[in-house]
Amino acid sequence: MDLLKICAIAPQFCLLNQHDQQVCLKDFQGRKVLVYFYPKALTPGCTAQACGLRDAKTALDQLGVVILGISPDKPKKLAQFVEKKELNFDLLSDPEHQIAEEFGVWGEKKFMGKTYHGIHRISFLINEQGVIEQVFDKFKTGEHHQVVLDYLLADQ
């Protein structure tokens, strides 16, 4: 895993969202974008993380931050996640984990004694110029939104 670092240029991408519509990073040029990678829709940790961001969206909007969640799930599963948890931001499908690899979040993981490859739960705050401003890689799923807000508010 070769994780992108602060000051790196964010890889450009276009992925399908929960409505089977293409969403591209360049669509948000001139705005800050929180790109958060999560392993699997509708699992407990991913749900806690997504619901925290959902509930913090108004504050993030006021700070000029767009939220984009990325996982290997297909758009149909993402649509179920958005509907069931009333999410108010786009979830993007990266089934071949190409974008996850470009950001350096796809790699070896261990769970219950088994080793496999998957997404590491890491978020990137991309600034208005498309440069990675901050990397969030140490947080509890239910506190992710607060870690991001704390960073943004400290920057003001």
Side-chain angles (χ1 to χ4, degrees):
M1 224 171 70
D2 196 13
L3 186 65
L4 288 181
K5 308 231 182 318
I6 294 171
C7 294
I9 302 288
Q12 289 298 312
F13 60 82
C14 293
L15 295 169
L16 293 179
N17 70 2
Q18 68 272 14
H19 304 297
D20 268 325
Q21 297 168 329
Q22 186 168 280
V23 174
C24 300
L25 183 58
K26 68 181 179 199
D27 298 342
F28 305 102
Q29 192 166 1
R31 297 182 69 189
K32 287 186 186 236
V33 181
L34 177 69
V35 175
Y36 85 96
F37 290 89
Y38 64 98
K40 191 172 183 180
L42 294 168
T43 57
C46 296
T47 297
Q49 184 177 18
C51 289
L53 289 168
R54 173 199 67 201
D55 297 345
K57 186 172 183 301
T58 300
L60 289 166
D61 285 346
Q62 291 171 346
L63 293 165
V65 178
V66 175
I67 306 166
L68 297 176
I70 300 178
S71 76
D73 297 301
K74 302 271 197 227
K76 183 177 179 180
K77 178 87 177 255
L78 298 178
Q80 292 169 345
F81 193 18
V82 167
E83 184 179 339
K84 189 170 185 178
K85 300 302 175 185
E86 299 178 352
L87 301 181
N88 49 8
F89 52 87
D90 277 325
L91 298 179
L92 306 181
S93 175
D94 185 21
E96 304 299 319
H97 47 83
Q98 178 183 347
I99 305 310
E101 288 183 35
E102 288 182 31
F103 275 81
V105 300
W106 183 265
E108 191 174 279
K109 298 176 78 172
K110 292 181 194 270
F111 183 69
M112 296 184 70
K114 295 191 180 198
T115 301
Y116 63 99
H117 280 78
I119 284 189
H120 289 258
R121 192 183 304 276
I122 298 172
S123 301
F124 299 85
L125 183 64
I126 300 168
N127 72 14
E128 296 85 348
Q129 293 76 39
V131 175
I132 295 174
E133 177 179 321
Q134 184 62 281
V135 178
F136 303 99
D137 60 353
K138 290 177 176 53
F139 54 84
K140 292 182 176 145
T141 56
E143 298 170 1
H144 176 238
H145 64 286
Q146 194 60 55
V147 170
V148 173
L149 283 171
D150 289 348
Y151 169 80
L152 289 163
L153 292 170
D155 198 32
Q156 291 196 342

